[in-house]
Amino acid sequence: MSPSVAPKTAVLHNIATRIRIDSVRSTTAAGSGHPSTCCSAADITAVLFFGEMRYDPQDPHRVDNDRFILSKGHAAPLLYAAWAEVGIVSREATLTLRQLDSDLEGHPTPRLPWVDLATGSLGQGLPAAVGSALNARRIGSDYRTYVLLGDGEMAEGSVWEAAQSGQFHQLDSLCAIVDVNGFGQSRPTQFAHDVETIAARWNAFGWHAVIVDGHDVEAVQRAFADARATSGRPTVLVARTLKGKGISLMEDKPSWHGKSLKAGEEEDTAIAELEAQLVPEHGAGRPAIPAPSGRVDRPDPTGPKAMDAPGYALGDLVATREAFGTALARLGAADARVVVLDADVKNSTFSDRFEKAFPDRFYQAFIAEQVMVGMAMGLAGRGAIPFATTFAAFLTRAADFIRMAGVSHLHVKFAGSHCGVSIGEDGPSQMALEDLSLFRAVPGCAVLYPCDAVSAERLVAAASAHDGMAYLRTSRPKTPVIYGPEETFPIGGSKVLRHSATDAITIVTAGVTVFEALQAAETLAGDGIAVRVIDLYSVKPVDEPTLHRAGTETGLIVTVEDHYAAGGIGDAVCEAVSPHGVRVVRVAVPGVPRSGTPEELLDLNGLSARALAATVRRLVSAR
Amino acid sequence: MSPSVAPKTAVLHNIATRIRIDSVRSTTAAGSGHPSTCCSAADITAVLFFGEMRYDPQDPHRVDNDRFILSKGHAAPLLYAAWAEVGIVSREATLTLRQLDSDLEGHPTPRLPWVDLATGSLGQGLPAAVGSALNARRIGSDYRTYVLLGDGEMAEGSVWEAAQSGQFHQLDSLCAIVDVNGFGQSRPTQFAHDVETIAARWNAFGWHAVIVDGHDVEAVQRAFADARATSGRPTVLVARTLKGKGISLMEDKPSWHGKSLKAGEEEDTAIAELEAQLVPEHGAGRPAIPAPSGRVDRPDPTGPKAMDAPGYALGDLVATREAFGTALARLGAADARVVVLDADVKNSTFSDRFEKAFPDRFYQAFIAEQVMVGMAMGLAGRGAIPFATTFAAFLTRAADFIRMAGVSHLHVKFAGSHCGVSIGEDGPSQMALEDLSLFRAVPGCAVLYPCDAVSAERLVAAASAHDGMAYLRTSRPKTPVIYGPEETFPIGGSKVLRHSATDAITIVTAGVTVFEALQAAETLAGDGIAVRVIDLYSVKPVDEPTLHRAGTETGLIVTVEDHYAAGGIGDAVCEAVSPHGVRVVRVAVPGVPRSGTPEELLDLNGLSARALAATVRRLVSAR
């Protein structure tokens, strides 16, 4: 590079070069990682962190900091190297990459204060960035959100869900950068360096697409300025780059995905080559980092206001999904941090009650569950308490986002309606029969399953207050209110609804089958068989002491669930009591169901009062 | 309509009108369902079934029939009404819609011979249609694949994954129709009737988009002819329609999603209004249905050829993921029905070994797991045996497709590599810790987890031969071969690797932790504690007799898995033995892991030989 280069350009070029050097050094020290993808995005990153983004390097928690999401999470060393340039981490620390006692993991996680959410499952950064940009609008801040994508991950449909959400919500504070280095892991991407075709797609999705040479720091600065000047729609920089840029051994070579350079001659040669690219004259120092504006029109409260007790009378017939909608609107009044997301089923989940009360805190994702959850992750990462709501069956569409929300320890709340065969005629495609399993497999996620309107309302508030993820499972049929308005439902608890000193067996269940179990117990009492019935409204964490005592006292637990046997209530109960050798028999939906009335389907699948009574009789007589 | 209308047009118009009438009648009889969305697509459907599609109405199983996939599955009554017109079902049968003893379910399922796969989870039809079109190429047939989408479901990212796959594979035998009626369930769609914006998106994704009036049967016929004349890329008809078309009460009204007309005056008025739209003159009869061409260049074999025993020696160090790749290539030689799909990680899963041997039967999905699984579903529905392969963690991206493949009883085979913390440095985003749970929750799905190369190879063949879905979990670390080449691994079996008459405890495990368990047992033997060790290579179905016996004889089972505790091996073992009151203690990954070496992470999470020995000592001494 010639000495006639403008000083800021030379300075940024030198920062990018040092980022490349650090990325090589850290991955070689680790013996694994992705230096080639760090090199393609180094110039873009240098521009972003030195002059484009407004943030306070001393305070990662400032709510008005511009945000950066590294969607191509395998380029983590790039991020850590940029931080080293900023002074957020030490240069020595970057050499602890991927070590057990270092928070500089193989892919970024929120163990690091500047990371709002874990990345590494591709295609999730842009959906979360949409949530971050919505959050700026929510709190009345002018912070901007930047997200760096790989070109390979544009194949993920979730990227296009996010693109259309960005368009729909007119998020001009959102700026994506696609690092078009042309290579995926195992082969060239579908479009290689055809930036025009890529830009045409983004334009068709309503974005302002700017094609730019991703190694020309002046051009990249101009493109960011163009983005900042664009209103009413988000901008994407389609940046043509070379994988491994700056290192002749790997530059634009297909075989260097996910490989570190060998320590010794290979590393030394690459470092020497990069160091030779540093511009000595005018290339010293670092540009000032612009401060955030300080504008936050609607700062978040620190906690919820007190809520009145639920307003139901014993015996009222209310579906838990409807009670959920009512409770959500009440919670919204008590806590301004609560926001709700819908995937075009708000009139079935009853989340429309929240929308009616708080239209500005209700986000429509249309039929795109991945971006719905991704938006919720982005909002949760910035202080909101989002409830993502749809049919429970369709939350499985976002299973990988749910998994990553768990990895990120994000306080996203999920509510799934229409669980189980009790939805009836719509048939198996609409029935959630694996949702308890899905959410139980997320560390720290509370799994709540109310049977009546009072417990539903109490558990909505409990889910919101829970320090972590929470899932609330609601049902379609109307069920009678059995709990008084003052009853409380702590997470991790259960309710023993029926018990005696002579109980021969315990039924543990939740949701609509609570009523089938109670009715079966009534029938069996007439036959002289006393049955304990437990409402396991908190499927996770589970009330181990109560279950253990019931198992010990009655000798046999039957778990009953409108769900498949794997991973649900039966599993939760076994996890609690099998270490003690308690007998547990599961009653669950035995195979793929079909259409029919709710009553017919409960009976056909062994979950009706009649079927449960028969099962208990058989078990008791066999002892 | 005037009598001057050309006869075929009048005939098709009358068929469409009768389809509307039937859709109203069947949904009113059921008391639920979606007549309004049937009415918007009735004209398109009439054209498709009478003149456009080539098929033998007597034989749903002809491999060269053109295929129709109703992606907007909630319009099931439309499909059943079309069949009634064709004579595939009786008109009376359509009135059994949604009843328990009828196969005409709320959303179509493969209980019906003309349905290859269940729909009803939106956005899955087009990915499957891509698979169906690839299948035509695979068997050398000129059959065409048609798929009807709703406009609302275009919000699903999976639709755009499928669009790019259709472009990449240049599938000119594929024709999608988007029924742009402008309404979702709860509100207008993002683009309402803006067909130009919708068409621009499809064009940007490389399709030939044709805007058409979806109620003009002549225009629809011309558009289909245009599609047939298009080569090198798929075609989409962007059809402007009115929801509820033909019934003034619901036509183009937002409030009629998913509502049937009330029996009595409401239904009668609608039927009378539709009947008045029938054209008496020249409008009788039905156009002839064109026969399929009969061309099938490469018909499928009826079964696999015999395979030689695996070629490994005891003690060879081979990762199960690598043995999987080798086995897949060998299986490909034995069975021409086997095809493989990859999401740009073929050099990590070793599926590239199959690609090298059989490039024409290897389909690249790029980083788009939903369409990868959707394509596999479409291929499986037409006779292929597809293996969908990626990192196990990223199969969760396709969880809803996996769920629906289960509902459809499709013989899709899944292989997930890089399971558990034993992948090491890449960190939690890349670690599958819930995949056993995901697949165990699918009825009929075999869940297989080999620990060495011989069992991996045998289980690949077993998965292929299994009558249903199967999942194979493979690991990243190299492990020693412990089974001889003649050892067999029936699905539902297990291997007792170590046992004695004095075993104090049983460890049940699979995969890499088999070796940790064996080493722990060796250590404990030195302390005088005899430990039984079982390799549970078949996690589902599970070997209940062997587990029961081990539990009874040793009094305590410890399950060990490189997976979270929920839904995995611990759950499988409890489901089998908890009815007998066997004590079961679980050792599993206790929370979100982090980066580190495989050895460090196994130890940190309690799964190393050292940690297992300590756990067993503690349990035995506490008895």
Side-chain angles (χ1 to χ4, degrees):
Chain A
M1 187 166 289
S2 86
S4 68
V5 171
K8 187 175 178 192
T9 300
V11 167
L12 289 171
H13 169 81
N14 282 1
I15 292 171
T17 302
R18 288 196 297 268
I19 287 175
R20 289 189 173 97
I21 292 169
D22 270 1
S23 301
V24 166
R25 285 204 165 116
S26 63
T27 50
T28 295
S32 65
H34 295 260
S36 62
T37 200
C38 295
C39 289
S40 66
D43 303 290
I44 295 160
T45 304
V47 173
L48 266 172
F49 278 79
F50 288 95
E52 176 58 23
M53 287 201 297
R54 299 160 302 168
Y55 61 104
D56 179 352
Q58 309 303 319
D59 186 2
H61 302 296
R62 271 193 68 154
V63 295
D64 59 339
N65 278 341
D66 282 355
R67 304 310 299 175
F68 175 70
I69 298 173
L70 182 68
S71 188
K72 45 178 278 181
H74 54 298
L78 166 81
L79 182 62
Y80 308 150
W83 287 346
E85 282 294 309
V86 175
I88 289 171
V89 301
S90 71
R91 188 147 267 127
E92 298 69 44
T94 64
L95 297 175
T96 66
L97 178 73
R98 293 174 164 242
Q99 292 178 13
L100 186 66
D101 52 0
S102 169
D103 286 340
L104 301 179
E105 298 193 69
H107 296 74
T109 74
R111 295 185 208 274
L112 298 160
W114 288 91
V115 176
D116 285 344
L117 72 158
T119 50
S121 181
L122 293 168
Q124 299 202 10
L126 189 62
V130 169
S132 171
L134 287 171
N135 185 72
R137 185 177 290 168
R138 181 182 74 86
I139 63 171
S141 170
D142 58 1
Y143 79 73
R144 293 177 60 76
T145 301
Y146 298 86
V147 53
L148 179 64
L149 287 77
D151 48 351
E153 70 177 297
M154 280 196 312
E156 287 287 6
S158 56
V159 170
W160 301 102
E161 293 182 12
Q164 69 202 357
S165 281
Q167 173 187 31
F168 178 72
H169 292 290
Q170 305 183 321
L171 296 176
D172 45 25
S173 72
L174 174 60
C175 180
I177 309 102
V178 184
D179 178 15
V180 185
N181 63 33
F183 289 111
Q185 171 176 320
S186 69
R187 52 164 291 158
T189 62
Q190 187 166 349
F191 300 107
H193 274 126
D194 181 359
V195 287
E196 285 76 18
T197 292
I198 293 168
R201 284 187 172 196
W202 288 94
N203 282 322
F205 273 69
W207 285 50
H208 175 47
V210 181
I211 294 172
V212 65
D213 176 349
H215 300 310
D216 180 340
V217 293
E218 290 195 338
V220 172
Q221 289 177 85
R222 283 194 303 274
F224 279 126
D226 184 351
R228 260 183 281 114
T230 300
S231 66
R233 59 187 169 146
T235 295
V236 58
L237 274 53
V238 180
R240 190 186 191 285
T241 64
L242 297 177
K243 205 161 177 172
K245 169 74 177 177
I247 304 170
S248 47
L249 182 66
M250 56 168 66
E251 186 174 298
D252 206 28
K253 301 279 201 319
S255 56
W256 277 95
H257 180 92
K259 286 186 193 160
S260 58
L261 290 163
K262 290 191 196 76
E265 191 185 335
E266 201 169 83
E267 180 190 15
D268 296 343
T269 306
I271 300 285
E273 185 178 6
L274 288 166
E275 283 177 342
Q277 293 164 31
L278 290 167
V279 183
E281 309 89 333
H282 314 299
R286 299 182 180 91
I289 294 168
S293 73
R295 192 190 133 198
V296 180
D297 296 344
R298 291 176 291 280
D300 274 328
T302 53
K305 295 178 219 156
M307 287 173 70
D308 291 337
Y312 299 101
L314 291 176
D316 283 355
L317 282 172
V318 187
T320 51
R321 62 174 171 140
E322 184 171 358
F324 161 74
T326 303
L328 205 56
R330 297 190 68 192
L331 178 67
D335 197 331
R337 298 170 301 176
V338 172
V339 299
V340 174
L341 302 102
D342 168 52
D344 191 20
V345 289
K346 64 187 179 188
N347 51 345
S348 289
T349 60
F350 287 96
S351 68
D352 55 1
R353 295 194 177 169
F354 183 94
E355 181 189 28
K356 197 173 167 197
F358 306 102
D360 291 346
R361 286 150 55 192
F362 183 87
Y363 305 111
Q364 184 54 257
F366 297 95
I367 310 173
E369 295 79 10
Q370 291 188 90
V371 73
M372 177 179 71
V373 176
M375 288 193 291
M377 291 164 71
L379 282 154
R382 304 300 301 146
I385 302 175
F387 279 75
T389 60
T390 184
F391 281 30
F394 304 135
L395 286 173
T396 60
R397 197 60 157 265
D400 192 35
F401 284 73
I402 291 165
R403 178 178 77 88
M404 290 297 290
V407 169
S408 304
H409 298 287
L410 287 169
H411 293 198
V412 181
K413 318 300 175 180
F414 297 86
S417 68
H418 293 72
C419 67
V421 300
S422 59
I423 69 162
E425 292 82 355
D426 272 332
S429 65
Q430 319 294 301
M431 297 169 175
L433 294 160
E434 53 290 285
D435 54 317
L436 295 175
S437 182
L438 171 66
F439 286 99
R440 282 188 66 252
V442 178
C445 181
V447 178
L448 309 171
Y449 184 9
C451 71
D452 83 341
V454 168
S455 52
E457 180 157 327
R458 291 289 191 186
L459 290 172
V460 168
S464 182
H466 178 63
D467 181 27
M469 267 174 62
Y471 170 60
L472 188 83
R473 183 184 219 220
T474 68
S475 302
R476 185 172 181 274
K478 288 183 192 298
T479 46
V481 170
I482 56 170
Y483 294 112
E486 301 302 331
E487 189 88 28
T488 60
F489 294 83
I491 290 178
S494 67
K495 299 289 175 187
V496 180
L497 295 178
R498 185 183 177 110
H499 71 109
S500 75
T502 60
D503 291 337
I505 197 166
T506 302
I507 296 180
V508 178
T509 187
V512 295
T513 46
V514 164
F515 303 94
E516 304 297 331
L518 287 171
Q519 194 184 324
E522 195 61 35
T523 303
L524 290 161
D527 302 350
I529 301 173
V531 177
R532 189 168 301 184
V533 177
I534 296 178
D535 173 8
L536 197 72
Y537 66 82
S538 176
V539 179
K540 180 183 171 187
V542 76
D543 185 356
E544 193 271 345
T546 300
L547 294 171
H548 186 191
R549 192 171 65 204
T552 306
E553 290 178 1
T554 70
L556 175 59
I557 292 177
V558 179
T559 60
V560 177
E561 55 194 313
D562 192 0
H563 186 273
Y564 290 140
I569 291 175
D571 186 21
V573 171
C574 283
E575 199 178 346
V577 304
S578 290
H580 309 296
V582 172
R583 285 185 66 201
V584 182
V585 172
R586 302 185 190 190
V587 176
V589 177
V592 175
R594 56 189 305 146
S595 291
T597 68
E599 297 74 21
E600 287 171 340
L601 294 175
L602 285 172
D603 196 53
L604 186 69
N605 289 284
L607 301 168
S608 66
R610 184 205 64 76
L612 292 177
T615 298
V616 168
R617 269 191 213 100
R618 182 175 54 74
L619 287 167
V620 170
S621 68
R623 289 171 91 173
Chain B
M1 189 167 286
S2 85
S4 68
V5 170
K8 188 176 177 191
T9 301
V11 167
L12 289 171
H13 169 81
N14 281 2
I15 292 171
T17 303
R18 289 196 297 268
I19 286 175
R20 290 189 173 97
I21 292 169
D22 270 2
S23 300
V24 167
R25 285 205 166 115
S26 62
T27 50
T28 295
S32 65
H34 295 260
S36 62
T37 201
C38 296
C39 289
S40 66
D43 303 290
I44 295 159
T45 305
V47 173
L48 266 173
F49 279 79
F50 288 95
E52 176 57 24
M53 288 201 297
R54 299 159 303 167
Y55 60 104
D56 179 353
Q58 308 302 318
D59 186 1
H61 303 296
R62 271 193 69 157
V63 295
D64 58 340
N65 278 341
D66 282 355
R67 303 311 299 175
F68 175 71
I69 297 173
L70 182 68
S71 188
K72 44 179 277 184
H74 54 297
L78 166 83
L79 182 62
Y80 308 151
W83 287 346
E85 281 293 309
V86 175
I88 288 171
V89 301
S90 72
R91 188 145 267 128
E92 299 69 45
T94 64
L95 297 175
T96 67
L97 178 73
R98 294 173 163 241
Q99 292 179 10
L100 186 66
D101 53 0
S102 170
D103 287 339
L104 301 179
E105 298 194 68
H107 296 74
T109 75
R111 295 185 208 274
L112 298 160
W114 287 90
V115 176
D116 285 344
L117 72 158
T119 51
S121 181
L122 292 169
Q124 299 203 9
L126 189 63
V130 169
S132 171
L134 287 171
N135 185 73
R137 185 177 289 168
R138 181 183 73 87
I139 63 171
S141 170
D142 58 1
Y143 80 73
R144 291 178 61 76
T145 300
Y146 298 86
V147 54
L148 180 63
L149 287 76
D151 49 351
E153 71 176 298
M154 280 196 313
E156 289 286 6
S158 56
V159 169
W160 301 103
E161 294 182 11
Q164 70 202 358
S165 281
Q167 173 187 29
F168 178 71
H169 292 290
Q170 305 184 320
L171 296 176
D172 46 24
S173 72
L174 173 60
C175 181
I177 309 102
V178 184
D179 178 15
V180 186
N181 64 34
F183 289 112
Q185 171 176 318
S186 68
R187 52 165 292 160
T189 62
Q190 186 166 349
F191 301 107
H193 274 125
D194 180 0
V195 287
E196 285 76 18
T197 292
I198 294 169
R201 285 187 171 196
W202 289 93
N203 282 323
F205 273 70
W207 286 49
H208 175 47
V210 182
I211 293 172
V212 65
D213 175 349
H215 299 310
D216 179 340
V217 293
E218 289 195 338
V220 172
Q221 288 177 86
R222 283 195 302 273
F224 279 126
D226 185 350
R228 260 183 281 114
T230 300
S231 66
R233 58 187 170 148
T235 295
V236 58
L237 273 55
V238 180
R240 190 185 192 286
T241 64
L242 298 176
K243 206 158 175 173
K245 169 74 178 176
I247 303 170
S248 47
L249 182 65
M250 57 168 66
E251 187 173 297
D252 206 26
K253 299 280 200 319
S255 56
W256 277 95
H257 179 92
K259 286 184 192 160
S260 59
L261 290 162
K262 290 190 194 76
E265 190 184 334
E266 201 169 85
E267 179 189 16
D268 296 344
T269 305
I271 300 284
E273 185 179 5
L274 288 166
E275 283 177 343
Q277 293 164 31
L278 291 166
V279 184
E281 309 90 333
H282 314 299
R286 299 181 180 93
I289 294 167
S293 73
R295 192 189 134 198
V296 180
D297 296 344
R298 291 176 291 280
D300 274 328
T302 52
K305 295 179 218 155
M307 286 173 71
D308 290 338
Y312 298 101
L314 290 176
D316 283 355
L317 281 172
V318 188
T320 51
R321 62 175 172 139
E322 184 171 359
F324 161 75
T326 303
L328 205 56
R330 297 190 69 191
L331 178 68
D335 196 331
R337 297 170 301 177
V338 172
V339 300
V340 174
L341 301 102
D342 168 52
D344 192 20
V345 290
K346 63 187 180 187
N347 50 345
S348 288
T349 60
F350 288 95
S351 68
D352 56 0
R353 295 194 176 168
F354 184 95
E355 181 189 29
K356 198 173 167 196
F358 306 102
D360 292 346
R361 285 149 56 191
F362 184 87
Y363 305 111
Q364 183 55 255
F366 297 96
I367 309 173
E369 295 79 9
Q370 292 187 91
V371 72
M372 177 179 71
V373 176
M375 288 194 289
M377 291 164 72
L379 282 154
R382 307 299 300 147
I385 302 175
F387 279 75
T389 62
T390 184
F391 281 30
F394 304 135
L395 286 172
T396 60
R397 198 59 158 263
D400 193 35
F401 284 73
I402 291 165
R403 179 179 76 89
M404 291 297 290
V407 169
S408 303
H409 298 287
L410 286 169
H411 293 197
V412 181
K413 319 300 176 180
F414 297 86
S417 68
H418 293 72
C419 66
V421 300
S422 60
I423 70 162
E425 292 82 355
D426 272 332
S429 65
Q430 318 293 301
M431 297 170 175
L433 293 160
E434 54 291 285
D435 54 317
L436 295 174
S437 181
L438 171 66
F439 285 99
R440 282 188 65 252
V442 178
C445 182
V447 178
L448 309 171
Y449 185 9
C451 71
D452 83 340
V454 168
S455 52
E457 180 157 328
R458 291 290 192 187
L459 290 172
V460 168
S464 181
H466 178 62
D467 181 27
M469 265 173 63
Y471 170 60
L472 188 82
R473 181 184 220 222
T474 68
S475 302
R476 185 171 180 276
K478 290 183 192 296
T479 45
V481 170
I482 56 170
Y483 294 112
E486 301 303 331
E487 189 87 28
T488 60
F489 295 83
I491 290 177
S494 67
K495 299 288 176 188
V496 181
L497 295 178
R498 185 182 177 112
H499 71 109
S500 74
T502 60
D503 291 337
I505 197 166
T506 303
I507 296 179
V508 177
T509 187
V512 295
T513 45
V514 164
F515 303 94
E516 305 296 331
L518 287 171
Q519 194 185 324
E522 195 62 33
T523 303
L524 290 161
D527 302 348
I529 302 173
V531 178
R532 188 169 300 184
V533 177
I534 296 178
D535 173 8
L536 198 72
Y537 66 82
S538 177
V539 179
K540 180 182 169 187
V542 76
D543 185 355
E544 193 270 345
T546 300
L547 294 171
H548 186 191
R549 193 171 63 204
T552 305
E553 291 178 0
T554 70
L556 176 57
I557 292 177
V558 178
T559 61
V560 177
E561 55 195 311
D562 192 359
H563 187 273
Y564 290 139
I569 291 176
D571 186 22
V573 170
C574 283
E575 200 179 345
V577 304
S578 290
H580 309 297
V582 172
R583 284 185 66 202
V584 181
V585 172
R586 302 184 190 190
V587 176
V589 177
V592 175
R594 56 188 305 145
S595 291
T597 68
E599 297 72 23
E600 287 170 341
L601 294 175
L602 285 172
D603 196 52
L604 187 69
N605 289 284
L607 301 168
S608 65
R610 185 205 63 77
L612 292 177
T615 298
V616 168
R617 266 189 216 103
R618 181 176 54 75
L619 288 167
V620 171
S621 69
R623 289 173 90 173

